[in-house]
Amino acid sequence: MEKFKEYNNGLKLVVKQMPQVGSVAMGIIVGVGSCLETPETNGYSHMVEHMLFKGTSTRSARQISEKLDELGGNFNAFTGKESTCFYGKVLQDKVEDAAELLSDIFFNATFNKEELDRERKVITEEIFMDEDMPEDVCHDLVAAAFYGNQTLGYKVIGTAKNVETAQNSDLLNFKRKYYVSNNTCISFAGAIDFETAEKIVKKYFLDNFGDDRLDFKVADIKRFAPISRFDYKFKDVEQAHVAIAFESLSTGDDRLIPFKVGNIALGGGMSSRLFLSIREQNGLAYSVYSSLLSYVNNGYLELYLGTSPKNVKKAVDLLMEDIDTFVKHGFEGAEIERAKTQLKTSLVFGCENPLTLMISYGMRYLYFNESFAVDEYIASVDNVTADAATEAFSNSFDFSRCSAVYVGKECNNFNEPERFLKNKS
């Protein structure tokens, strides 16, 4: 059972009670990420997330760490392109203590200069670490190629320059702008009822927000249009990494569930078309898959493979053949049935975890004022047919509105992915 409430100041509360578990997951979800940044502030959402754990007016960074360990459980935070979340998963009798700690870091972080200077080094190391992962570089590069200079193409972690130059006043101003009541949802899932959760929110959150309000939300931003572009980055690594992005569906699109099923059939499992064709039958890649990136008002389908530089042409040719086969014949019933079972299994497993449900319910309520509606979701998956999945994909493989990238050693074949843009229309 779940309950929802929106307060007069716009703060939202959602509670998913799970009597069968003994833990509680609690999260503070804020509707801000890299998609609301500028070139000058790219990375600020991520930096703010880090700095909230680096000391408050009543606790030092060490005292915060000690309190986290004292409470046990799982405390962390993450920043995405559209949201930032601070959360804790604890035993039932520790939930109010967890709420007090999360409230303290959320409202009272001081952004101490010495702590900020230390954290710059940590985040810079994180940037360097990402650069050492060519597959991740490929994903970031294809997003940037697909969206161009639009903010959904920005890296969440930001740029080394912005990390180096951001001042504590810059980050505090950024936080004040977006960490406001009508851009925030407090979400609970687990061994907690609505009345207990509401008392916690009133005690530790409701009146701690100021009078500022956000006059827009991520959902209000106009739909982005992708661009057709090829990009590459040479790196001294053993594999060549290729990705291509096609326009797909937003989070709220009615066709998203059949699209998700189709994505699994295309490249989401060991029996998927791309896996069988490129890896199992031809041995051209260890890692090959498709993934669906859905945002509030936009989305793209990414096809990815990693192969030897000498096999780039063969692998890309085969990928093109697989796409052509799908365009001509669509999905088959048997592969869609397998994909449906995989999607339902993933959903049910996730629903057994309070942390997963806390995030799912909180995100859905923050952006769409809706319940996550698990039973309806599963029923919708059951109703997907091969024709419905094919129809959901019908406009995706538009080669005039796609982008391709290459990451790997410089070689004669490095620009093979560019044929997606030159030879298809």
Side-chain angles (χ1 to χ4, degrees), residues 135 239 275 278-279 285-289 304-307:
E135 186 172 336
Q239 273 200 316
F275 191 91
I278 295 174
R279 174 172 162 160
Y286 176 80
S287 183
V288 53
Y289 54 82
Y304 164 85
L305 63 87
T307 188

Side-chain angles (χ1 to χ4, degrees), residues 179-192:
Y179 281 52
V180 295
S181 55
N182 71 332
N183 196 36
T184 303
C185 180
I186 312 295
S187 182
F188 293 86
I192 188 169

Side-chain angles (χ1 to χ4, degrees), residues 275-302:
F275 191 91
L276 290 176
S277 171
I278 295 174
R279 174 172 162 160
E280 294 298 286
Q281 296 172 12
N282 290 277
L284 291 175
Y286 176 80
S287 183
V288 53
Y289 54 82
S290 63
S291 55
L292 174 61
L293 291 302
S294 290
Y295 303 111
V296 170
N297 53 24
N298 193 259
Y300 65 93
L301 174 72
E302 179 186 340

Side-chain angles (χ1 to χ4, degrees), residues 10 43 81 90 100 126 144 155 166 208 248 290 315 317 329 379 387 405:
K81 297 205 173 189
V90 294
E100 186 277 326
E126 191 176 354
K155 291 176 65 173
N208 285 330
S248 65
S290 63
D317 283 344
H329 303 290
D387 287 344
V405 300

Side-chain angles (χ1 to χ4, degrees), residues 94-217:
K94 298 292 185 182
V95 64
E96 185 166 353
D97 291 333
E100 186 277 326
L101 178 60
L102 288 173
S103 173
D104 188 28
I105 67 172
F106 189 82
F107 292 109
N108 303 320
T110 56
F111 289 71
N112 177 273
K113 184 180 183 303
E114 291 182 0
E115 291 287 353
L116 174 58
D117 288 340
R118 274 193 289 269
E119 204 60 23
R120 292 185 206 279
K121 299 176 183 178
V122 173
I123 298 173
T124 300
E125 289 300 322
E126 191 176 354
I127 293 174
F128 292 158
M129 180 180 69
D130 285 352
E131 281 295 319
D132 286 339
M133 300 178 181
E135 186 172 336
D136 291 347
V137 172
C138 189
H139 297 323
D140 287 335
L141 194 63
V142 80
F146 188 71
Y147 288 113
N149 61 0
Q150 299 171 95
T151 56
L152 277 176
Y154 290 0
K155 291 176 65 173
V156 172
I157 200 170
T159 66
K161 177 182 177 182
N162 289 350
V163 170
E164 178 63 30
T165 59
Q167 301 301 306
N168 52 0
S169 59
D170 298 326
L171 298 177
L172 279 167
N173 288 334
F174 187 88
K175 178 177 180 286
R176 291 190 189 103
K177 180 176 181 179
Y178 294 108
Y179 281 52
V180 295
S181 55
N182 71 332
N183 196 36
T184 303
C185 180
I186 312 295
S187 182
F188 293 86
I192 188 169
D193 57 45
F194 184 81
E195 292 71 26
T196 302
E198 189 171 28
K199 288 178 183 177
I200 289 172
V201 168
K202 287 181 178 179
K203 183 174 182 180
Y204 295 107
F205 292 93
L206 186 60
D207 294 331
N208 285 330
F209 286 97
D211 296 328
D212 292 338
R213 302 286 185 272
L214 199 64
D215 59 3
F216 70 94
K217 293 187 178 181

Side-chain angles (χ1 to χ4, degrees), residues 186-347:
I186 312 295
S187 182
F188 293 86
I192 188 169
D193 57 45
F194 184 81
E195 292 71 26
T196 302
E198 189 171 28
K199 288 178 183 177
I200 289 172
V201 168
K202 287 181 178 179
K203 183 174 182 180
Y204 295 107
F205 292 93
L206 186 60
D207 294 331
N208 285 330
F209 286 97
D211 296 328
D212 292 338
R213 302 286 185 272
L214 199 64
D215 59 3
F216 70 94
K217 293 187 178 181
V218 172
D220 299 326
I221 301 174
K222 68 179 180 67
R223 184 172 175 83
F224 300 102
I227 62 173
S228 181
R229 175 173 146 187
F230 171 73
D231 204 355
Y232 61 91
K233 192 167 192 175
F234 294 138
K235 295 184 75 69
D236 188 18
V237 292
E238 293 305 312
Q239 273 200 316
H241 302 263
V242 176
I244 178 170
F246 295 93
E247 188 173 16
S248 65
L249 306 178
S250 64
T251 304
D253 197 297
D254 292 338
R255 299 165 295 167
L256 187 62
I257 291 177
F259 199 102
K260 284 185 174 182
V261 173
N263 174 60
I264 294 172
L266 178 67
M270 295 179 67
S271 65
S272 66
R273 291 192 178 193
L274 298 184
F275 191 91
L276 290 176
S277 171
I278 295 174
R279 174 172 162 160
E280 294 298 286
Q281 296 172 12
N282 290 277
L284 291 175
Y286 176 80
S287 183
V288 53
Y289 54 82
S290 63
S291 55
L292 174 61
L293 291 302
S294 290
Y295 303 111
V296 170
N297 53 24
N298 193 259
Y300 65 93
L301 174 72
E302 179 186 340
L303 309 185
Y304 164 85
L305 63 87
T307 188
S308 168
K310 67 181 181 181
N311 288 330
V312 170
K313 184 178 186 305
K314 291 180 182 178
V316 170
D317 283 344
L318 196 53
L319 185 63
M320 293 289 284
E321 290 176 14
D322 291 334
I323 294 173
D324 287 342
T325 299
F326 168 78
V327 171
K328 292 175 181 176
H329 303 290
F331 290 114
E332 298 176 356
E335 62 183 340
I336 292 301
E337 291 303 314
R338 289 194 297 269
K340 286 161 61 174
T341 300
Q342 291 180 61
L343 182 56
K344 288 190 295 181
T345 301
S346 175
L347 180 65

Side-chain angles (χ1 to χ4, degrees), residues 397-413:
F397 293 123
D398 181 349
F399 287 89
S400 68
R401 293 168 63 81
C402 72
S403 291
V405 300
Y406 168 93
V407 175
K409 290 181 178 178
E410 184 171 2
C411 64
N412 292 334
N413 289 332

